[in-house]
Amino acid sequence: MAAPMELSCWGGGWGLPSVHTESLIVMAYARFSGAPLRVSAVDHSWSAPQGDVPVLISEDAVIAQPAKILNYLRKQKYNADYELSAKQGADTLAYIALLEEKLLPAILHTFWVEAENYCSVTKPWYASRIPFPLRLYLPGKMSRKALNRILLMRGEPPLYRLNDVEAQIYRDAKECLNLLSNRLGTSQFFFGNTPTTLDAFVFGFLAPLYKVHFPKVQLQEHLKQLHNLCRFCDDILSGYFRLSVTGFSPAGQDTVDANLQKLTQLVNKESNLIEKMDDNLRKSPQHPPRKLTTLKLSAAGEESSLLTRLSPC
Amino acid sequence: MSLVAEALVSQIAAAEPWPENAALYQQMKEEQILLSDNASSLAVQAFLQMCSLPVQVVCRPNAEYMSPSGKVPFIHVGNQVVSELGPIVQFVKAKGHSLSDGLDEVQKAEMKAYMELVNNMLLTAELYLQWCDDATVEEITHPRYGSPYPWPLNRILAYQKQWEVRRKMKAIGWAGKSLEQVLEDVDQCCQALSQRLGTQPYFFNKLPTELDALVFGHLFTILTTQLTSDELSEKVKNYSNLVAFCRRIEQQYFEGRDKDSSSTSRFSKGPLLR
């Protein structure tokens, strides 16, 4: 009964199913709601879409933009928000607005405008997935679009210079992360124990920031201090995307199958959580376990800041 | 503004009490001000009223160019000039007046989120309507925006502003929306606000916060402004608790004030809201 739906989106890296916020939102929502999607990453062939990504292609429609895709999935009875009250639905809308207004400019800046990040990470990554002549042009265009958006959203008369805008957007983004961390508290997801639309959005915004290795990491460092948000990203990655290593769910899968899969994932996640709690209990005075590379990075950072603090000025 | 400068400003601000002659600047009420600016100005007025801080509203044709951020309203307090609701809330807080101190961390996050919802949806929809809807642009926006200036300056400035707003709409992906879609978004936003408010007097029960001031500013302006069609205000009128909410704040913070004060800020639109 389920028509095969295909999602074209930017591919993954750094342990993420996709490094692109909007693609990640749709993928996470599809996993949460059990919608069977065949995911095809944009590759360097001409047939792959290069413009608006992600795109959902089903029998009767081609849909771009995450909000519209999510609406379409809801109409197909893949709804992750069944259990939410009307007020929680309203909250979802409000927090998505918060993400878009306060966090998005800083994420765009980190990926597309910060010169060092753009040249050594973002540009090579995207260029390697775009066919030859376009790869010389498209990343630059995406970068200019991001810069333009930041300046138009925030570049009011006193803040004409990019430096001033930068300070402002990073301050806003850090405040936004703190607010999200406070809102999440110790619960597993934003509305109790099952993930919803809001969780898909927050995950889509945070995970790339959390996982991608950038040379300039001021926002990433702030995020890594908010342990509950990091735990939130890790939980979703391990609970809902573990199967992605072996490939995405096949097309035309029954909803029954999808539900079963969801259930096993839930169980996996629970056991994961228990493991993690044990771990945390054992090492409670120390920092929670991090990945090796980041550990190295942060250790080096701490050392140097310690040195500067100790050195007589 | 750099962090140091900001810290300095807040220290200076904290040192001085709120003066009697504080002033709020906006464009001319009758013939010039546009929907979105009026909403923002009203939100700040409501906020200052809720803090019981007296302010005199001064209307100037060139208020937009007087403002440090190019946006109205701005307040002139002592020797400080601060514009827009967010910075004004910070500034007033530095002087020791705050409406949101009683909230816990989660409520504060919620308040900020809903304020962004209003900015993201209602404010953008107002800007869309007045600068991208051709009928409104022709009949209302251009004549009003250009009213203080002689020809051809009135046309030039209005087109310049229109170009600027349309570029912004394009960047945030609203340029391709139709008026119906925008009204749909407004409806969705009002529905969310209505659900959140429920039967409480204010968004966080008994006491008003800056969120209440912001929502009041926008909804009251939408309800009481005559546009080319009633579509926008009809969307708000569908939610009776929001209309009652606006009336309540109007009665509590604006009506009493008109009688006993000689300030120039007369809130003359009262009878429109029935």
Side-chain angles (χ1 to χ4, degrees):
Chain A
M1 56 151 271
M5 290 183 283
E6 193 179 321
L7 182 76
S8 285
C9 59
W10 291 109
W14 295 279
L16 292 172
S18 169
V19 300
H20 182 237
T21 292
E22 273 118 36
S23 304
L24 208 49
I25 291 171
V26 178
M27 288 164 93
Y29 184 84
R31 288 299 167 103
F32 296 163
S33 61
L37 280 190
R38 192 174 54 198
V39 178
S40 63
V42 171
D43 51 30
H44 42 259
S45 69
W46 280 101
S47 56
Q50 257 95 34
D52 265 346
V53 173
V55 192
L56 183 79
I57 302 155
S58 75
E59 273 173 340
D60 51 348
V62 176
I63 307 157
Q65 295 180 7
K68 286 185 190 158
I69 297 177
L70 262 53
N71 270 336
Y72 178 81
L73 289 176
R74 268 181 221 123
K75 277 185 200 140
Q76 305 291 309
K77 307 278 178 289
Y78 298 112
N79 192 340
D81 301 344
Y82 270 132
E83 289 170 14
L84 294 191
S85 67
K87 186 187 161 285
Q88 287 172 326
D91 282 358
T92 301
L93 216 58
Y95 278 98
I96 291 173
L98 179 73
L99 288 170
E100 280 180 0
E101 293 280 320
K102 298 286 186 195
L103 194 55
L104 183 61
I107 290 184
L108 286 177
H109 186 273
T110 303
F111 272 79
W112 294 102
V113 181
E114 175 65 60
E116 227 173 295
N117 291 348
Y118 173 67
C119 292
S120 68
V121 179
T122 315
K123 191 176 164 189
W125 192 93
Y126 278 89
S128 70
R129 280 155 182 80
I130 299 173
F132 161 64
L134 279 181
R135 79 170 51 146
L136 303 176
Y137 163 71
L138 271 183
K141 189 185 165 203
M142 287 156 93
S143 167
R144 280 192 300 278
K145 197 174 156 196
L147 177 62
N148 197 25
R149 177 166 184 158
I150 292 171
L151 284 178
L152 284 174
M153 273 173 91
R154 291 302 173 75
E156 304 303 341
L159 304 176
Y160 273 137
R161 285 177 309 139
L162 190 60
N163 285 348
D164 300 336
V165 180
E166 276 169 15
Q168 181 65 40
I169 60 178
Y170 279 105
R171 208 163 343 134
D172 283 350
K174 283 174 186 169
E175 192 198 352
C176 175
L177 290 177
N178 292 342
L179 293 174
L180 288 174
S181 172
N182 288 336
R183 171 64 183 78
L184 182 62
T186 53
S187 59
Q188 189 178 7
F189 295 109
F190 278 88
F191 299 108
N193 292 325
T194 43
T196 61
T197 305
L198 179 59
D199 297 286
F201 269 86
V202 175
F203 175 72
F205 276 91
L206 295 188
L209 197 61
Y210 175 44
K211 291 290 182 186
V212 176
H213 300 306
F214 282 121
K216 284 269 176 76
V217 290
Q218 53 164 323
L219 200 55
Q220 193 173 42
E221 272 173 4
H222 188 87
L223 174 59
K224 283 185 175 163
Q225 286 163 9
L226 301 169
H227 298 304
N228 60 345
L229 291 181
C230 297
R231 192 258 313 147
F232 170 83
C233 291
D234 286 330
D235 278 358
I236 292 180
L237 280 173
S238 60
Y240 289 87
F241 288 101
R242 181 176 285 173
L243 295 173
S244 62
V245 183
T246 54
F248 296 101
S249 48
Q253 190 183 24
D254 272 353
T255 33
V256 186
D257 256 12
N259 284 339
L260 200 69
Q261 190 189 336
K262 207 170 152 188
L263 200 70
T264 37
Q265 279 166 1
L266 262 172
V267 174
N268 281 345
K269 201 175 54 195
E270 292 292 325
S271 63
N272 243 349
L273 202 73
I274 292 166
E275 264 177 48
K276 195 167 258 171
M277 274 163 67
D278 278 349
D279 250 28
N280 280 349
L281 273 180
R282 245 176 274 136
K283 331 179 167 172
S284 50
Q286 293 145 10
H287 291 295
R290 293 181 189 171
K291 289 217 157 158
L292 254 183
T293 43
T294 58
L295 198 66
K296 254 187 247 158
L297 261 178
S298 65
E302 271 158 30
E303 218 171 69
S304 62
S305 66
L306 207 69
L307 280 177
T308 48
R309 237 180 287 142
L310 287 177
S311 63
C313 32
Chain B
M1 212 184 317
S2 73
L3 278 177
V4 183
E6 217 159 77
L8 200 69
V9 166
S10 64
Q11 274 200 349
I12 295 169
E16 291 169 14
W18 190 266
E20 279 300 307
N21 63 351
L24 179 145
Y25 288 83
Q26 62 164 46
Q27 293 102 326
M28 307 305 286
K29 211 168 254 171
E30 298 303 327
E31 64 274 14
Q32 187 193 11
I33 199 165
L34 298 176
L35 185 66
S36 61
D37 290 335
N38 196 49
S40 308
S41 175
L42 191 55
V44 172
Q45 290 175 43
F47 172 71
L48 293 175
Q49 281 292 311
M50 287 167 179
C51 293
S52 321
L53 297 170
V55 69
Q56 192 171 25
V57 178
V58 182
C59 297
R60 290 283 166 80
N62 60 340
E64 195 179 344
Y65 301 104
M66 292 164 73
S67 164
S69 73
K71 285 187 178 172
V72 289
F74 65 96
I75 55 170
H76 182 192
V77 179
N79 49 13
Q80 308 266 323
V81 177
V82 191
S83 70
E84 296 180 71
L85 183 63
I88 289 174
V89 169
Q90 292 289 327
F91 175 78
V92 167
K93 192 176 179 185
K95 286 204 181 292
H97 306 272
S98 173
L99 295 175
S100 49
D101 273 350
L103 303 181
D104 63 34
E105 292 300 324
V106 174
Q107 286 174 322
K108 271 184 193 154
E110 212 174 311
M111 186 186 77
K112 291 262 165 64
Y114 276 90
M115 288 179 78
E116 289 313 320
L117 177 70
V118 173
N119 287 332
N120 184 314
M121 293 251 215
L122 280 187
L123 181 63
T124 318
E126 288 162 7
L127 285 171
Y128 177 95
L129 193 73
Q130 70 195 21
W131 292 108
C132 301
D133 175 50
D134 290 330
T136 315
V137 169
E138 204 53 38
E139 275 182 50
I140 298 175
T141 313
H142 274 214
R144 282 182 75 89
Y145 191 80
S147 65
Y149 312 105
W151 187 89
L153 191 59
N154 55 356
R155 301 301 279 180
I156 295 171
L157 289 175
Y159 273 112
Q160 194 184 17
K161 181 79 181 177
Q162 180 175 346
W163 181 75
E164 203 177 287
V165 174
R166 287 194 178 183
R167 262 186 68 194
K168 196 178 237 171
M169 291 290 159
K170 213 170 150 190
I172 57 172
W174 277 54
K177 285 191 182 183
S178 66
L179 185 60
E180 282 71 40
Q181 280 171 309
V182 170
L183 290 172
E184 189 64 31
D185 281 351
V186 171
D187 189 53
Q188 213 183 358
C189 175
C190 288
Q191 190 185 0
L193 291 172
S194 169
Q195 293 286 1
R196 176 64 189 77
L197 183 65
T199 54
Q200 305 174 100
Y202 298 109
F203 278 93
F204 293 94
N205 212 357
K206 294 274 161 52
L207 294 170
T209 60
E210 47 259 39
L211 172 63
D212 297 277
L214 183 66
V215 172
F216 169 76
H218 282 274
L219 295 186
F220 190 87
T221 305
I222 290 174
L223 285 169
T224 56
T225 306
Q226 189 74 44
L227 294 171
T228 50
S229 74
D230 301 338
E231 281 165 313
L232 188 63
S233 55
E234 287 302 321
K235 291 284 177 212
V236 180
K237 278 182 191 152
N238 288 339
Y239 300 97
S240 58
N241 63 343
L242 293 181
V243 177
F245 167 82
C246 287
R247 199 182 300 135
R248 191 160 45 231
I249 292 187
E250 186 203 6
Q251 281 166 359
Q252 191 154 357
Y253 294 101
F254 287 94
E255 278 180 358
R257 177 179 161 222
D258 273 354
K259 282 177 216 142
D260 58 42
S261 81
S262 56
S263 76
T264 51
S265 74
R266 185 122 323 123
F267 212 75
S268 55
K269 286 174 176 169
L272 280 167
L273 188 66
R274 270 178 293 250

